[in-house]
PDB file of all heavy atoms in Angstrom:
ATOM      1  N   ILE A 212    -123.295 -42.400  33.664  1.00 93.00           N
ATOM      2  CA  ILE A 212    -123.184 -43.578  34.529  1.00 93.00           C
ATOM      3  C   ILE A 212    -123.501 -43.204  35.975  1.00 93.00           C
ATOM      4  O   ILE A 212    -124.249 -43.908  36.662  1.00 93.00           O
ATOM      5  CB  ILE A 212    -121.786 -44.214  34.410  1.00 93.00           C
ATOM      6  CG1 ILE A 212    -121.597 -44.790  33.005  1.00 93.00           C
ATOM      7  CG2 ILE A 212    -121.557 -45.272  35.486  1.00 93.00           C
ATOM      8  CD1 ILE A 212    -120.167 -45.161  32.672  1.00 93.00           C
ATOM      9  N   VAL A 213    -122.945 -42.094  36.425  1.00 93.00           N
ATOM     10  CA  VAL A 213    -123.113 -41.689  37.821  1.00 93.00           C
ATOM     11  C   VAL A 213    -124.554 -41.288  38.127  1.00 93.00           C
ATOM     12  O   VAL A 213    -125.019 -41.469  39.260  1.00 93.00           O
ATOM     13  CB  VAL A 213    -122.103 -40.579  38.190  1.00 93.00           C
ATOM     14  CG1 VAL A 213    -122.397 -39.975  39.549  1.00 93.00           C
ATOM     15  CG2 VAL A 213    -120.688 -41.144  38.161  1.00 93.00           C
ATOM     16  N   THR A 214    -125.291 -40.778  37.150  1.00 92.00           N
ATOM     17  CA  THR A 214    -126.694 -40.422  37.410  1.00 92.00           C
ATOM     18  C   THR A 214    -127.507 -41.650  37.822  1.00 92.00           C
ATOM     19  O   THR A 214    -128.537 -41.511  38.469  1.00 92.00           O
ATOM     20  CB  THR A 214    -127.370 -39.765  36.184  1.00 92.00           C
ATOM     21  OG1 THR A 214    -127.344 -40.675  35.086  1.00 92.00           O
ATOM     22  CG2 THR A 214    -126.708 -38.461  35.824  1.00 92.00           C
ATOM     23  N   ARG A 215    -127.040 -42.822  37.483  1.00 93.00           N
ATOM     24  CA  ARG A 215    -127.723 -44.062  37.860  1.00 93.00           C
ATOM     25  C   ARG A 215    -127.350 -44.521  39.263  1.00 93.00           C
ATOM     26  O   ARG A 215    -127.871 -45.519  39.760  1.00 93.00           O
ATOM     27  CB  ARG A 215    -127.400 -45.164  36.862  1.00 93.00           C
ATOM     28  CG  ARG A 215    -127.853 -44.811  35.460  1.00 93.00           C
ATOM     29  CD  ARG A 215    -127.418 -45.819  34.463  1.00 93.00           C
ATOM     30  NE  ARG A 215    -127.647 -45.300  33.115  1.00 93.00           N
ATOM     31  CZ  ARG A 215    -127.409 -45.953  32.022  1.00 93.00           C
ATOM     32  NH1 ARG A 215    -126.933 -47.170  32.083  1.00 93.00           N
ATOM     33  NH2 ARG A 215    -127.630 -45.412  30.854  1.00 93.00           N
ATOM     34  N   LEU A 216    -126.431 -43.803  39.880  1.00 91.00           N
ATOM     35  CA  LEU A 216    -125.967 -44.135  41.230  1.00 91.00           C
ATOM     36  C   LEU A 216    -126.285 -42.959  42.154  1.00 91.00           C
ATOM     37  O   LEU A 216    -125.457 -42.076  42.354  1.00 91.00           O
ATOM     38  CB  LEU A 216    -124.461 -44.405  41.214  1.00 91.00           C
ATOM     39  CG  LEU A 216    -123.975 -45.471  40.233  1.00 91.00           C
ATOM     40  CD1 LEU A 216    -122.461 -45.439  40.111  1.00 91.00           C
ATOM     41  CD2 LEU A 216    -124.466 -46.843  40.674  1.00 91.00           C
ATOM     42  N   PRO A 217    -127.490 -42.922  42.723  1.00 90.00           N
ATOM     43  CA  PRO A 217    -127.903 -41.749  43.486  1.00 90.00           C
ATOM     44  C   PRO A 217    -127.039 -41.444  44.715  1.00 90.00           C
ATOM     45  O   PRO A 217    -127.027 -40.325  45.202  1.00 90.00           O
ATOM     46  CB  PRO A 217    -129.341 -42.069  43.898  1.00 90.00           C
ATOM     47  CG  PRO A 217    -129.505 -43.532  43.721  1.00 90.00           C
ATOM     48  CD  PRO A 217    -128.511 -43.967  42.694  1.00 90.00           C
ATOM     49  N   SER A 218    -126.285 -42.425  45.194  1.00 93.00           N
ATOM     50  CA  SER A 218    -125.447 -42.177  46.371  1.00 93.00           C
ATOM     51  C   SER A 218    -124.084 -41.581  46.018  1.00 93.00           C
ATOM     52  O   SER A 218    -123.292 -41.287  46.898  1.00 93.00           O
ATOM     53  CB  SER A 218    -125.256 -43.472  47.154  1.00 93.00           C
ATOM     54  OG  SER A 218    -124.579 -44.414  46.358  1.00 93.00           O
ATOM     55  N   VAL A 219    -123.822 -41.386  44.718  1.00 95.00           N
ATOM     56  CA  VAL A 219    -122.533 -40.845  44.281  1.00 95.00           C
ATOM     57  C   VAL A 219    -122.710 -39.408  43.800  1.00 95.00           C
ATOM     58  O   VAL A 219    -123.528 -39.130  42.926  1.00 95.00           O
ATOM     59  CB  VAL A 219    -121.910 -41.700  43.155  1.00 95.00           C
ATOM     60  CG1 VAL A 219    -120.599 -41.090  42.676  1.00 95.00           C
ATOM     61  CG2 VAL A 219    -121.702 -43.135  43.624  1.00 95.00           C
ATOM     62  N   LYS A 220    -121.939 -38.526  44.400  1.00 95.00           N
ATOM     63  CA  LYS A 220    -121.910 -37.125  43.961  1.00 95.00           C
ATOM     64  C   LYS A 220    -120.692 -36.960  43.061  1.00 95.00           C
ATOM     65  O   LYS A 220    -119.571 -37.284  43.460  1.00 95.00           O
ATOM     66  CB  LYS A 220    -121.805 -36.204  45.167  1.00 95.00           C
ATOM     67  CG  LYS A 220    -121.700 -34.736  44.800  1.00 95.00           C
ATOM     68  CD  LYS A 220    -121.548 -33.869  46.034  1.00 95.00           C
ATOM     69  CE  LYS A 220    -121.374 -32.418  45.647  1.00 95.00           C
ATOM     70  NZ  LYS A 220    -121.139 -31.574  46.835  1.00 95.00           N
ATOM     71  N   LEU A 221    -120.906 -36.436  41.860  1.00 97.00           N
ATOM     72  CA  LEU A 221    -119.816 -36.264  40.898  1.00 97.00           C
ATOM     73  C   LEU A 221    -119.369 -34.819  40.839  1.00 97.00           C
ATOM     74  O   LEU A 221    -120.182 -33.912  40.674  1.00 97.00           O
ATOM     75  CB  LEU A 221    -120.258 -36.716  39.504  1.00 97.00           C
ATOM     76  CG  LEU A 221    -119.236 -36.543  38.383  1.00 97.00           C
ATOM     77  CD1 LEU A 221    -118.019 -37.437  38.609  1.00 97.00           C
ATOM     78  CD2 LEU A 221    -119.873 -36.832  37.029  1.00 97.00           C
ATOM     79  N   LEU A 222    -118.068 -34.615  40.978  1.00 97.00           N
ATOM     80  CA  LEU A 222    -117.425 -33.323  40.754  1.00 97.00           C
ATOM     81  C   LEU A 222    -116.497 -33.513  39.565  1.00 97.00           C
ATOM     82  O   LEU A 222    -116.000 -34.613  39.337  1.00 97.00           O
ATOM     83  CB  LEU A 222    -116.616 -32.893  41.977  1.00 97.00           C
ATOM     84  CG  LEU A 222    -117.347 -32.842  43.311  1.00 97.00           C
ATOM     85  CD1 LEU A 222    -116.356 -32.576  44.435  1.00 97.00           C
ATOM     86  CD2 LEU A 222    -118.437 -31.782  43.278  1.00 97.00           C
ATOM     87  N   SER A 223    -116.237 -32.442  38.830  1.00 97.00           N
ATOM     88  CA  SER A 223    -115.330 -32.588  37.691  1.00 97.00           C
ATOM     89  C   SER A 223    -114.412 -31.388  37.556  1.00 97.00           C
ATOM     90  O   SER A 223    -114.737 -30.280  37.986  1.00 97.00           O
ATOM     91  CB  SER A 223    -116.114 -32.796  36.392  1.00 97.00           C
ATOM     92  OG  SER A 223    -116.889 -31.658  36.085  1.00 97.00           O
ATOM     93  N   ALA A 224    -113.267 -31.658  36.959  1.00 98.00           N
ATOM     94  CA  ALA A 224    -112.272 -30.637  36.654  1.00 98.00           C
ATOM     95  C   ALA A 224    -111.676 -30.980  35.301  1.00 98.00           C
ATOM     96  O   ALA A 224    -111.590 -32.153  34.935  1.00 98.00           O
ATOM     97  CB  ALA A 224    -111.179 -30.608  37.718  1.00 98.00           C
ATOM     98  N   GLN A 225    -111.272 -29.951  34.546  1.00 97.00           N
ATOM     99  CA  GLN A 225    -110.756 -30.188  33.201  1.00 97.00           C
ATOM    100  C   GLN A 225    -109.243 -30.161  33.105  1.00 97.00           C
ATOM    101  O   GLN A 225    -108.693 -30.510  32.067  1.00 97.00           O
ATOM    102  CB  GLN A 225    -111.355 -29.173  32.235  1.00 97.00           C
ATOM    103  CG  GLN A 225    -112.841 -29.356  32.063  1.00 97.00           C
ATOM    104  CD  GLN A 225    -113.413 -28.432  31.004  1.00 97.00           C
ATOM    105  OE1 GLN A 225    -112.801 -27.437  30.622  1.00 97.00           O
ATOM    106  NE2 GLN A 225    -114.588 -28.762  30.520  1.00 97.00           N
ATOM    107  N   THR A 226    -108.566 -29.748  34.149  1.00 97.00           N
ATOM    108  CA  THR A 226    -107.100 -29.731  34.141  1.00 97.00           C
ATOM    109  C   THR A 226    -106.583 -30.337  35.444  1.00 97.00           C
ATOM    110  O   THR A 226    -107.311 -30.405  36.441  1.00 97.00           O
ATOM    111  CB  THR A 226    -106.536 -28.299  34.014  1.00 97.00           C
ATOM    112  OG1 THR A 226    -106.833 -27.575  35.223  1.00 97.00           O
ATOM    113  CG2 THR A 226    -107.100 -27.575  32.802  1.00 97.00           C
ATOM    114  N   GLY A 227    -105.323 -30.732  35.426  1.00 97.00           N
ATOM    115  CA  GLY A 227    -104.704 -31.256  36.632  1.00 97.00           C
ATOM    116  C   GLY A 227    -104.690 -30.240  37.752  1.00 97.00           C
ATOM    117  O   GLY A 227    -104.976 -30.571  38.908  1.00 97.00           O
ATOM    118  N   SER A 228    -104.397 -28.992  37.432  1.00 97.00           N
ATOM    119  CA  SER A 228    -104.361 -27.936  38.454  1.00 97.00           C
ATOM    120  C   SER A 228    -105.725 -27.741  39.091  1.00 97.00           C
ATOM    121  O   SER A 228    -105.836 -27.606  40.312  1.00 97.00           O
ATOM    122  CB  SER A 228    -103.877 -26.625  37.847  1.00 97.00           C
ATOM    123  OG  SER A 228    -102.564 -26.755  37.376  1.00 97.00           O
ATOM    124  N   GLU A 229    -106.772 -27.716  38.251  1.00 98.00           N
ATOM    125  CA  GLU A 229    -108.130 -27.575  38.783  1.00 98.00           C
ATOM    126  C   GLU A 229    -108.486 -28.781  39.649  1.00 98.00           C
ATOM    127  O   GLU A 229    -109.121 -28.636  40.702  1.00 98.00           O
ATOM    128  CB  GLU A 229    -109.152 -27.465  37.646  1.00 98.00           C
ATOM    129  CG  GLU A 229    -109.101 -26.177  36.873  1.00 98.00           C
ATOM    130  CD  GLU A 229    -110.030 -26.194  35.660  1.00 98.00           C
ATOM    131  OE1 GLU A 229    -110.802 -27.174  35.480  1.00 98.00           O
ATOM    132  OE2 GLU A 229    -109.983 -25.230  34.883  1.00 98.00           O
ATOM    133  N   GLY A 230    -108.085 -29.964  39.209  1.00 98.00           N
ATOM    134  CA  GLY A 230    -108.362 -31.175  39.969  1.00 98.00           C
ATOM    135  C   GLY A 230    -107.700 -31.164  41.336  1.00 98.00           C
ATOM    136  O   GLY A 230    -108.315 -31.530  42.338  1.00 98.00           O
ATOM    137  N   ILE A 231    -106.457 -30.733  41.381  1.00 98.00           N
ATOM    138  CA  ILE A 231    -105.738 -30.651  42.658  1.00 98.00           C
ATOM    139  C   ILE A 231    -106.434 -29.672  43.585  1.00 98.00           C
ATOM    140  O   ILE A 231    -106.674 -29.963  44.762  1.00 98.00           O
ATOM    141  CB  ILE A 231    -104.268 -30.239  42.433  1.00 98.00           C
ATOM    142  CG1 ILE A 231    -103.514 -31.362  41.720  1.00 98.00           C
ATOM    143  CG2 ILE A 231    -103.590 -29.892  43.751  1.00 98.00           C
ATOM    144  CD1 ILE A 231    -102.164 -30.931  41.157  1.00 98.00           C
ATOM    145  N   ALA A 232    -106.773 -28.503  43.076  1.00 98.00           N
ATOM    146  CA  ALA A 232    -107.442 -27.485  43.896  1.00 98.00           C
ATOM    147  C   ALA A 232    -108.788 -27.993  44.413  1.00 98.00           C
ATOM    148  O   ALA A 232    -109.114 -27.816  45.596  1.00 98.00           O
ATOM    149  CB  ALA A 232    -107.629 -26.196  43.091  1.00 98.00           C
ATOM    150  N   LEU A 233    -109.556 -28.641  43.548  1.00 98.00           N
ATOM    151  CA  LEU A 233    -110.867 -29.156  43.953  1.00 98.00           C
ATOM    152  C   LEU A 233    -110.716 -30.287  44.964  1.00 98.00           C
ATOM    153  O   LEU A 233    -111.488 -30.384  45.923  1.00 98.00           O
ATOM    154  CB  LEU A 233    -111.637 -29.612  42.715  1.00 98.00           C
ATOM    155  CG  LEU A 233    -113.138 -29.783  42.835  1.00 98.00           C
ATOM    156  CD1 LEU A 233    -113.817 -28.535  43.396  1.00 98.00           C
ATOM    157  CD2 LEU A 233    -113.738 -30.138  41.484  1.00 98.00           C
ATOM    158  N   ALA A 234    -109.721 -31.129  44.780  1.00 98.00           N
ATOM    159  CA  ALA A 234    -109.475 -32.211  45.743  1.00 98.00           C
ATOM    160  C   ALA A 234    -109.127 -31.647  47.110  1.00 98.00           C
ATOM    161  O   ALA A 234    -109.596 -32.159  48.134  1.00 98.00           O
ATOM    162  CB  ALA A 234    -108.350 -33.118  45.241  1.00 98.00           C
TER     163      ALA A 234
END
Side-chain angles (χ1 to χ4, degrees):
I212 293 167
V213 170
T214 60
R215 299 174 191 182
L216 305 168
S218 63
V219 178
K220 177 182 177 184
L221 178 65
L222 305 173
S223 64
Q225 294 185 342
T226 68
S228 297
E229 290 173 6
I231 292 166
L233 198 53

